[in-house]
Short mmCIF file of all heavy atoms in Angstrom, two decimals:
data_model
loop_
_atom_site.label_atom_id
_atom_site.label_comp_id
_atom_site.label_asym_id
_atom_site.label_seq_id
_atom_site.Cartn_x
_atom_site.Cartn_y
_atom_site.Cartn_z
N TYR A 245 109.98 85.71 98.37
CA TYR A 245 109.87 86.87 97.46
C TYR A 245 108.42 87.47 97.48
O TYR A 245 108.34 88.68 97.65
CB TYR A 245 110.20 86.42 96.08
CG TYR A 245 110.11 87.57 95.00
CD1 TYR A 245 111.02 88.54 94.99
CD2 TYR A 245 109.11 87.54 94.13
CE1 TYR A 245 110.94 89.51 94.05
CE2 TYR A 245 108.96 88.56 93.13
CZ TYR A 245 109.92 89.54 93.09
OH TYR A 245 109.80 90.60 92.27
N ASP A 246 107.43 86.60 97.38
CA ASP A 246 106.03 87.14 97.44
C ASP A 246 105.71 87.78 98.75
O ASP A 246 105.09 88.84 98.75
CB ASP A 246 105.09 85.95 97.17
CG ASP A 246 105.17 85.44 95.71
OD1 ASP A 246 105.68 86.21 94.88
OD2 ASP A 246 104.73 84.27 95.45
N LYS A 247 106.16 87.19 99.83
CA LYS A 247 105.84 87.71 101.14
C LYS A 247 106.59 89.05 101.35
O LYS A 247 106.01 89.97 101.95
CB LYS A 247 106.36 86.70 102.23
CG LYS A 247 105.67 86.95 103.60
CD LYS A 247 106.02 85.75 104.47
CE LYS A 247 105.31 85.87 105.81
NZ LYS A 247 105.67 84.76 106.70
N SER A 248 107.84 89.15 100.92
CA SER A 248 108.57 90.41 101.12
C SER A 248 108.01 91.53 100.24
O SER A 248 107.91 92.65 100.70
CB SER A 248 110.07 90.14 100.68
OG SER A 248 110.19 89.85 99.37
N ARG A 249 107.51 91.15 99.03
CA ARG A 249 106.87 92.25 98.21
C ARG A 249 105.59 92.70 98.84
O ARG A 249 105.28 93.89 98.81
CB ARG A 249 106.54 91.63 96.83
CG ARG A 249 107.77 91.50 95.90
CD ARG A 249 107.32 91.14 94.46
NE ARG A 249 106.63 92.28 93.86
CZ ARG A 249 105.97 92.20 92.75
NH1 ARG A 249 105.91 90.99 92.12
NH2 ARG A 249 105.41 93.18 92.21
N PHE A 250 104.83 91.77 99.46
CA PHE A 250 103.62 92.15 100.09
C PHE A 250 103.82 93.14 101.24
O PHE A 250 103.18 94.16 101.31
CB PHE A 250 102.91 90.92 100.64
CG PHE A 250 101.70 91.16 101.53
CD1 PHE A 250 100.54 91.61 100.98
CD2 PHE A 250 101.75 90.91 102.92
CE1 PHE A 250 99.42 91.88 101.72
CE2 PHE A 250 100.62 91.17 103.67
CZ PHE A 250 99.49 91.58 103.16
N PHE A 251 104.80 92.87 102.13
CA PHE A 251 105.02 93.74 103.27
C PHE A 251 105.71 95.02 102.88
O PHE A 251 105.45 96.04 103.50
CB PHE A 251 105.87 92.97 104.34
CG PHE A 251 105.08 92.08 105.18
CD1 PHE A 251 105.20 90.69 105.12
CD2 PHE A 251 104.19 92.64 106.10
CE1 PHE A 251 104.42 89.87 105.89
CE2 PHE A 251 103.45 91.74 106.91
CZ PHE A 251 103.55 90.41 106.76
N GLN A 252 106.55 94.99 101.81
CA GLN A 252 107.14 96.21 101.29
C GLN A 252 106.04 97.21 100.89
O GLN A 252 106.13 98.42 101.12
CB GLN A 252 108.10 95.94 100.14
CG GLN A 252 109.08 96.98 99.87
CD GLN A 252 110.17 97.14 100.95
OE1 GLN A 252 110.84 96.12 101.21
NE2 GLN A 252 110.41 98.29 101.52
N LYS A 253 105.09 96.66 100.17
CA LYS A 253 103.94 97.52 99.71
C LYS A 253 103.14 98.10 100.87
O LYS A 253 102.80 99.32 100.93
CB LYS A 253 102.95 96.73 98.80
CG LYS A 253 103.50 96.53 97.36
CD LYS A 253 102.48 95.77 96.55
CE LYS A 253 103.06 95.59 95.10
NZ LYS A 253 102.03 94.80 94.33
N ILE A 254 102.83 97.26 101.89
CA ILE A 254 102.06 97.67 103.03
C ILE A 254 102.80 98.78 103.79
O ILE A 254 102.17 99.84 104.05
CB ILE A 254 101.77 96.48 103.98
CG1 ILE A 254 100.74 95.54 103.37
CG2 ILE A 254 101.34 97.00 105.37
CD1 ILE A 254 100.43 94.37 104.28
N TRP A 255 104.07 98.60 104.14
CA TRP A 255 104.73 99.54 104.96
C TRP A 255 105.19 100.82 104.17
O TRP A 255 105.27 101.84 104.75
CB TRP A 255 105.96 98.90 105.59
CG TRP A 255 105.59 97.92 106.61
CD1 TRP A 255 105.55 96.58 106.56
CD2 TRP A 255 105.00 98.18 107.90
NE1 TRP A 255 105.09 96.03 107.67
CE2 TRP A 255 104.73 97.00 108.56
CE3 TRP A 255 104.71 99.40 108.56
CZ2 TRP A 255 104.17 96.90 109.78
CZ3 TRP A 255 104.13 99.31 109.80
CH2 TRP A 255 103.87 98.10 110.46
N THR A 256 105.30 100.66 102.84
CA THR A 256 105.60 101.89 102.04
C THR A 256 104.36 102.74 102.03
O THR A 256 104.40 103.99 102.16
CB THR A 256 105.89 101.50 100.60
OG1 THR A 256 107.05 100.70 100.60
CG2 THR A 256 106.20 102.74 99.76
N LYS A 257 103.17 102.12 101.98
CA LYS A 257 101.86 102.86 102.00
C LYS A 257 101.70 103.53 103.38
O LYS A 257 101.36 104.64 103.49
CB LYS A 257 100.76 101.96 101.70
CG LYS A 257 99.43 102.70 101.53
CD LYS A 257 98.26 101.72 101.17
CE LYS A 257 98.39 101.18 99.81
NZ LYS A 257 97.32 100.30 99.35
N LYS A 258 102.05 102.74 104.40
CA LYS A 258 101.91 103.30 105.82
C LYS A 258 102.85 104.44 106.02
O LYS A 258 102.51 105.40 106.66
CB LYS A 258 102.18 102.19 106.85
CG LYS A 258 101.07 101.23 106.98
CD LYS A 258 101.25 100.31 108.16
CE LYS A 258 100.04 99.52 108.46
NZ LYS A 258 100.21 98.71 109.77
N ALA A 259 104.01 104.41 105.38
CA ALA A 259 104.97 105.48 105.58
C ALA A 259 104.46 106.81 105.11
O ALA A 259 104.75 107.89 105.62
CB ALA A 259 106.27 105.18 104.87
N GLY A 260 103.55 106.69 104.09
CA GLY A 260 102.91 107.95 103.61
C GLY A 260 101.91 108.56 104.54
O GLY A 260 101.51 109.71 104.42
N HIS A 261 101.44 107.73 105.52
CA HIS A 261 100.47 108.18 106.47
C HIS A 261 101.15 108.48 107.83
O HIS A 261 100.39 108.69 108.80
CB HIS A 261 99.33 107.07 106.63
CG HIS A 261 98.53 106.95 105.42
ND1 HIS A 261 97.88 105.80 105.09
CD2 HIS A 261 98.25 107.80 104.36
CE1 HIS A 261 97.17 105.88 103.97
NE2 HIS A 261 97.43 107.10 103.54
N ASP A 262 102.40 108.52 107.88
CA ASP A 262 103.06 108.70 109.19
C ASP A 262 102.70 109.99 109.81
O ASP A 262 102.62 110.13 111.06
CB ASP A 262 104.60 108.70 109.04
CG ASP A 262 105.10 107.29 108.90
OD1 ASP A 262 104.36 106.36 109.23
OD2 ASP A 262 106.29 107.12 108.53
N ILE A 263 102.42 111.01 108.99
CA ILE A 263 102.16 112.34 109.57
C ILE A 263 100.64 112.65 109.36
O ILE A 263 100.27 113.85 109.27
CB ILE A 263 103.04 113.44 108.93
CG1 ILE A 263 102.88 113.47 107.42
CG2 ILE A 263 104.48 113.21 109.33
CD1 ILE A 263 103.68 114.60 106.78
N MET A 264 99.82 111.62 109.30
CA MET A 264 98.40 111.83 109.17
C MET A 264 97.67 111.24 110.30
O MET A 264 98.11 110.24 110.90
CB MET A 264 97.97 111.16 107.86
CG MET A 264 98.75 111.49 106.60
SD MET A 264 98.58 113.19 106.07
CE MET A 264 97.04 113.10 105.15
N SER A 265 96.43 111.64 110.57
CA SER A 265 95.62 111.05 111.57
C SER A 265 94.16 110.94 111.00
O SER A 265 93.75 111.77 110.17
CB SER A 265 95.54 111.87 112.84
OG SER A 265 94.99 113.15 112.57
N ARG A 266 93.50 109.92 111.37
CA ARG A 266 92.14 109.67 110.85
C ARG A 266 91.17 110.65 111.45
O ARG A 266 91.15 110.99 112.57
CB ARG A 266 91.67 108.23 111.24
CG ARG A 266 92.26 107.18 110.32
CD ARG A 266 91.48 105.86 110.44
NE ARG A 266 92.08 104.83 109.66
CZ ARG A 266 91.81 104.69 108.34
NH1 ARG A 266 91.00 105.55 107.79
NH2 ARG A 266 92.35 103.72 107.64
N ASN A 267 90.25 111.13 110.49
CA ASN A 267 89.19 112.01 111.01
C ASN A 267 87.91 111.13 111.11
O ASN A 267 87.90 109.93 110.83
CB ASN A 267 88.99 113.18 110.07
CG ASN A 267 88.66 112.79 108.63
OD1 ASN A 267 87.99 111.76 108.44
ND2 ASN A 267 89.11 113.57 107.65
N LYS A 268 86.82 111.78 111.60
CA LYS A 268 85.59 110.99 111.79
C LYS A 268 85.04 110.33 110.55
O LYS A 268 84.33 109.35 110.60
CB LYS A 268 84.55 111.93 112.43
CG LYS A 268 84.88 112.36 113.89
CD LYS A 268 83.81 113.23 114.47
CE LYS A 268 84.17 113.62 115.86
NZ LYS A 268 83.11 114.53 116.42
N GLY A 269 85.29 110.98 109.39
CA GLY A 269 84.79 110.41 108.17
C GLY A 269 85.64 109.28 107.59
O GLY A 269 85.34 108.80 106.48
N GLY A 270 86.68 108.95 108.31
CA GLY A 270 87.54 107.85 107.89
C GLY A 270 88.73 108.29 107.01
O GLY A 270 89.49 107.52 106.60
N GLY A 271 88.71 109.64 106.78
CA GLY A 271 89.90 110.16 105.94
C GLY A 271 91.06 110.48 106.89
O GLY A 271 91.05 110.11 108.06
N TYR A 272 91.96 111.29 106.35
CA TYR A 272 93.15 111.59 107.14
C TYR A 272 93.34 113.10 107.25
O TYR A 272 93.04 113.86 106.33
CB TYR A 272 94.50 111.09 106.47
CG TYR A 272 94.60 109.58 106.61
CD1 TYR A 272 94.03 108.71 105.73
CD2 TYR A 272 95.23 109.05 107.70
CE1 TYR A 272 94.20 107.29 105.88
CE2 TYR A 272 95.39 107.70 107.90
CZ TYR A 272 94.84 106.83 106.95
OH TYR A 272 95.01 105.47 107.14
N ASN A 273 93.73 113.55 108.36
CA ASN A 273 94.07 114.94 108.64
C ASN A 273 95.60 115.10 108.72
O ASN A 273 96.27 114.24 109.28
CB ASN A 273 93.52 115.44 110.01
CG ASN A 273 92.00 115.41 109.97
OD1 ASN A 273 91.34 115.68 108.96
ND2 ASN A 273 91.35 114.98 111.08
N GLN A 274 96.12 116.16 108.26
CA GLN A 274 97.53 116.46 108.30
C GLN A 274 97.94 116.74 109.70
O GLN A 274 97.29 117.52 110.44
CB GLN A 274 97.92 117.69 107.39
CG GLN A 274 99.35 117.83 107.27
CD GLN A 274 99.99 116.88 106.27
OE1 GLN A 274 99.32 116.38 105.46
NE2 GLN A 274 101.31 116.59 106.42
N MET A 275 99.05 116.09 110.18
CA MET A 275 99.55 116.38 111.56
C MET A 275 100.98 116.93 111.51
O MET A 275 101.62 116.96 110.45
CB MET A 275 99.64 114.97 112.34
CG MET A 275 98.34 114.29 112.60
SD MET A 275 98.65 112.67 113.30
CE MET A 275 99.50 113.08 114.80
N ALA A 276 101.35 117.47 112.63
CA ALA A 276 102.73 118.02 112.64
C ALA A 276 103.70 116.87 112.45
O ALA A 276 103.52 115.81 113.05
CB ALA A 276 102.92 118.71 114.02
N GLU A 277 104.68 117.10 111.65
CA GLU A 277 105.70 116.03 111.35
C GLU A 277 106.43 115.68 112.67
O GLU A 277 106.93 116.52 113.32
CB GLU A 277 106.62 116.49 110.32
CG GLU A 277 107.57 115.37 109.86
CD GLU A 277 108.38 115.80 108.66
OE1 GLU A 277 108.17 116.86 108.11
OE2 GLU A 277 109.30 114.99 108.30
N THR A 278 106.50 114.38 112.99
CA THR A 278 107.20 113.90 114.14
C THR A 278 108.68 113.72 113.83
O THR A 278 109.08 113.43 112.76
CB THR A 278 106.59 112.60 114.70
OG1 THR A 278 106.64 111.61 113.64
CG2 THR A 278 105.14 112.77 115.12
N LYS A 279 109.44 113.85 114.90
CA LYS A 279 110.92 113.62 114.80
C LYS A 279 111.18 112.13 114.70
O LYS A 279 110.50 111.29 115.19
CB LYS A 279 111.59 114.16 116.01
CG LYS A 279 111.48 115.69 116.19
CD LYS A 279 112.50 116.41 115.34
CE LYS A 279 112.56 117.91 115.69
NZ LYS A 279 111.36 118.63 115.41
N SER A 280 112.21 111.85 113.90
CA SER A 280 112.66 110.47 113.75
C SER A 280 113.30 110.02 115.09
O SER A 280 113.70 110.90 115.92
CB SER A 280 113.68 110.28 112.62
OG SER A 280 114.91 110.82 112.96
N TYR A 281 113.44 108.72 115.29
CA TYR A 281 114.05 108.24 116.55
C TYR A 281 115.41 108.84 116.69
O TYR A 281 115.74 109.27 117.85
CB TYR A 281 114.13 106.73 116.46
CG TYR A 281 114.97 106.10 117.52
CD1 TYR A 281 114.61 105.97 118.81
CD2 TYR A 281 116.31 105.62 117.22
CE1 TYR A 281 115.42 105.41 119.82
CE2 TYR A 281 117.10 105.06 118.19
CZ TYR A 281 116.68 105.00 119.50
OH TYR A 281 117.45 104.45 120.45
N HIS A 282 116.23 108.92 115.70
CA HIS A 282 117.58 109.39 115.82
C HIS A 282 117.68 110.89 116.04
O HIS A 282 118.48 111.38 116.84
CB HIS A 282 118.36 109.00 114.55
CG HIS A 282 118.46 107.49 114.35
ND1 HIS A 282 119.29 106.73 115.07
CD2 HIS A 282 117.72 106.75 113.54
CE1 HIS A 282 119.12 105.46 114.69
NE2 HIS A 282 118.26 105.40 113.76
N GLU A 283 116.69 111.68 115.46
CA GLU A 283 116.67 113.05 115.68
C GLU A 283 116.28 113.32 117.12
O GLU A 283 116.80 114.22 117.78
CB GLU A 283 115.65 113.70 114.74
CG GLU A 283 116.08 113.76 113.29
CD GLU A 283 114.98 114.21 112.36
OE1 GLU A 283 113.77 114.06 112.71
OE2 GLU A 283 115.34 114.70 111.30
N GLN A 284 115.25 112.57 117.63
CA GLN A 284 114.79 112.74 119.04
C GLN A 284 115.88 112.41 119.97
O GLN A 284 116.04 113.00 121.05
CB GLN A 284 113.50 111.97 119.25
CG GLN A 284 112.79 112.28 120.51
CD GLN A 284 112.40 113.76 120.62
OE1 GLN A 284 111.76 114.29 119.79
NE2 GLN A 284 112.78 114.42 121.76
N LEU A 285 116.61 111.30 119.63
CA LEU A 285 117.67 110.89 120.53
C LEU A 285 118.73 111.88 120.68
O LEU A 285 119.26 112.14 121.75
CB LEU A 285 118.22 109.54 119.97
CG LEU A 285 119.33 108.86 120.87
CD1 LEU A 285 118.77 108.45 122.18
CD2 LEU A 285 119.87 107.62 120.10
N GLN A 286 119.04 112.52 119.52
CA GLN A 286 120.08 113.62 119.50
C GLN A 286 119.62 114.77 120.36
O GLN A 286 120.42 115.35 121.10
CB GLN A 286 120.29 114.06 118.04
CG GLN A 286 121.34 115.06 117.92
CD GLN A 286 122.76 114.49 117.91
OE1 GLN A 286 122.96 113.32 118.01
NE2 GLN A 286 123.82 115.35 117.81
N ILE A 287 118.32 115.12 120.31
CA ILE A 287 117.77 116.25 121.07
C ILE A 287 117.80 115.88 122.59
O ILE A 287 118.30 116.69 123.39
CB ILE A 287 116.30 116.53 120.63
CG1 ILE A 287 116.36 117.16 119.27
CG2 ILE A 287 115.63 117.49 121.66
CD1 ILE A 287 114.95 117.26 118.61
N ASP A 288 117.40 114.67 122.89
CA ASP A 288 117.36 114.26 124.32
C ASP A 288 118.80 114.21 124.90
O ASP A 288 118.96 114.68 126.09
CB ASP A 288 116.72 112.84 124.42
CG ASP A 288 115.29 112.87 124.08
OD1 ASP A 288 114.58 113.98 124.09
OD2 ASP A 288 114.69 111.78 123.85
N GLN A 289 119.70 113.76 124.15
CA GLN A 289 121.07 113.66 124.70
C GLN A 289 121.71 115.03 124.82
O GLN A 289 122.49 115.27 125.71
CB GLN A 289 121.95 112.81 123.74
CG GLN A 289 121.61 111.30 123.81
CD GLN A 289 122.46 110.39 122.98
OE1 GLN A 289 123.06 110.86 121.97
NE2 GLN A 289 122.58 109.19 123.32
#
């Protein structure tokens, strides 16, 4: 339970940074939103 709560918090926080990139000051810059795997697969097919 403790381990699962720990990773849920980490990856939830990371999900918020999916469309961000680090700048030189250590902050984040907004990036173009990337397609999900399933969206990209649909496009490729």
